[in-house]
Amino acid sequence: MTSIIDETAPPVPRSANINAATSTWLADLGTTLRSGAVFILLAALLAGFSTAEPAFANLGNLMSILQAVAVVAILGAGVTVTLAVGGFDLSIGAIAASSVMAASYAMIVWGLDAIATVPLVLAFGALIGLVNAFLIVRLKVPDLLATLSMMFLLSGLQLIPTAGRSISAGLILPNGTTATGAYDPAFLLIGRASLFGVVPVSVVLMALVAIALFVLTERTRIGRLLFATGGNEVATRLAGASTARLKTLAYVISGTLASLGGIVIAARVGRGDVSSGGSLLMDAVAAALIGFAVLGKRRPNVLGTIVGAVFVGVLLNGLTMLNAPYYTQDFVKGAVLVGALALTYGTVRSTSS
């Protein structure tokens, strides 16, 4: 019988097998480290700040961090949904600020209670999202231009009913009369109360939003279609999905979540401040983009957005407790964002090359 094995072929050196196995192990380790880099850095920050300032690890301070980032995380989740369909919502900060003013106006000028105010303000955010969707989907206005225009429109609109003044009890209206309403104590609980005296209500709302959107985007057909729309809108449409409805849904969700963030701010502050929401847009966008690097997703994802918001919140809180100058905060946020994007897209290029 003739053997098909070439007995004259030289054997593969053992060192070559070891080197190949080592290279594979190092590649797998590198992939794992890149996927968990944000969590590793977050753990390092927690350990470092706790060592430098023991009060940092206090439960009350940790809850304060989560409460501080709750609004940014909620708005960032809305941005994430619009990113999933290949869009971008620049109006979320203005919607949140307008919602603060709307909630304050409804209670102090119109005399409404919390039960009427909260649905009214959420409906306001959903309506703005619907208008954004109409401009983008029906009129074919580029998403950045449409939402930027809406941002300017809302920034001016929120000042008109009070002639540019903040809204608080005893407000003098433009017609010279005095508003007789006041903040409903039940409404203030949204921003100031804590469950069991430990977990702030705003943190619970953030968790509920995160869970609901995670299930929607990662575990349902609608979620898969949202990402499919962002990946290839034409192919998704040819497959039978209504990309117009999917985009509309994304912007309505974004507007509603922005209004929810505004409700939390109004309940925490207890007044309609015309300067509220100034930095919310950039903070929310930063959280959503940092989320691209979480678990190596390299795409919009709600879990990553929440982790990104918490990461920035931990970093800024720790620096504050260590008496770092306040004017360095924007620089730090920018550095973190640059690092996250470099980690995300740099590894993509190195992997493909």
Side-chain angles (χ1 to χ4, degrees):
M1 181 181 292
T2 303
S3 174
I4 62 174
I5 300 176
D6 186 2
E7 296 180 353
T8 63
V12 178
R14 183 180 179 185
S15 59
N17 291 331
I18 294 175
N19 290 337
T22 302
S23 299
T24 301
W25 180 80
L26 290 176
D28 292 341
L29 178 62
T31 301
T32 302
L33 290 177
R34 285 192 295 268
S35 298
V38 174
F39 292 101
I40 294 172
L41 291 174
L42 181 59
L45 285 177
L46 291 171
F49 287 139
S50 299
T51 302
E53 179 55 67
F56 176 84
N58 181 275
L59 179 61
N61 184 61
L62 296 178
M63 287 296 107
S64 176
I65 293 174
L66 292 179
Q67 184 178 29
V69 304
V71 173
V72 171
I74 291 172
L75 267 65
V79 173
T80 301
V81 178
T82 59
L83 287 173
V85 296
F88 202 88
D89 192 351
L90 289 175
S91 65
I92 55 167
I95 296 176
S98 298
S99 297
V100 173
M101 300 295 284
S104 302
Y105 197 89
M107 286 182 286
I108 291 177
V109 179
W110 293 345
L112 301 182
D113 58 9
I115 296 177
T117 298
V118 171
L120 179 65
V121 176
L122 292 177
F124 167 77
L127 177 61
I128 299 301
L130 195 61
V131 173
N132 281 335
F134 176 78
L135 294 173
I136 296 166
V137 175
R138 297 300 180 188
L139 301 186
K140 305 301 180 182
V141 179
D143 55 309
L144 290 178
L145 296 180
T147 55
L148 180 65
S149 301
M150 185 59 67
M151 179 185 74
F152 285 120
L153 188 151
L154 291 176
S155 297
L157 178 63
Q158 64 177 316
L159 303 177
I160 294 176
T162 63
R165 291 189 291 269
S166 296
I167 302 176
S168 58
L171 170 70
I172 305 298
L173 298 173
N175 61 7
T177 61
T178 301
T180 58
Y183 262 81
D184 186 349
F187 181 87
L188 295 176
L189 294 177
I190 298 173
R192 301 177 181 180
S194 299
L195 292 183
F196 311 109
V198 178
V199 183
V201 173
S202 56
V203 176
V204 176
L205 290 175
M206 176 185 71
L208 293 176
V209 167
I211 293 171
L213 284 187
F214 176 81
V215 172
L216 174 67
T217 57
E218 304 289 343
R219 296 291 185 266
T220 66
R221 180 176 180 272
I222 292 178
R224 291 190 292 271
L225 291 175
L226 288 172
F227 285 111
T229 301
N232 192 325
E233 183 177 349
V234 175
T236 305
R237 189 185 305 115
L238 293 176
S242 175
T243 56
R245 292 181 180 179
L246 290 167
K247 284 189 171 184
T248 300
L249 174 65
Y251 282 97
V252 169
I253 290 175
S254 179
T256 304
L257 290 181
S259 281
L260 177 60
I263 289 171
V264 173
I265 295 174
R268 185 186 305 166
V269 177
R271 58 178 286 154
D273 195 342
V274 294
S275 63
S276 60
S279 64
L280 289 176
L281 170 61
M282 300 312 300
D283 289 348
V285 170
L289 295 181
I290 291 172
F292 277 54
V294 173
L295 297 178
K297 292 284 190 179
R298 300 191 182 104
R299 64 170 175 80
N301 67 99
V302 176
L303 174 62
T305 298
I306 303 301
V307 173
V310 172
F311 184 88
V312 174
V314 167
L315 184 61
L316 296 182
N317 182 271
L319 292 175
T320 300
M321 295 192 73
L322 294 179
N323 296 319
Y326 72 92
Y327 48 79
T328 62
Q329 291 189 2
D330 286 339
F331 171 80
V332 170
K333 285 187 286 188
V336 169
L337 180 57
V338 168
L341 294 177
L343 179 66
T344 303
Y345 293 101
T347 55
V348 172
R349 175 165 300 197
S350 64
T351 301
S352 59
S353 60

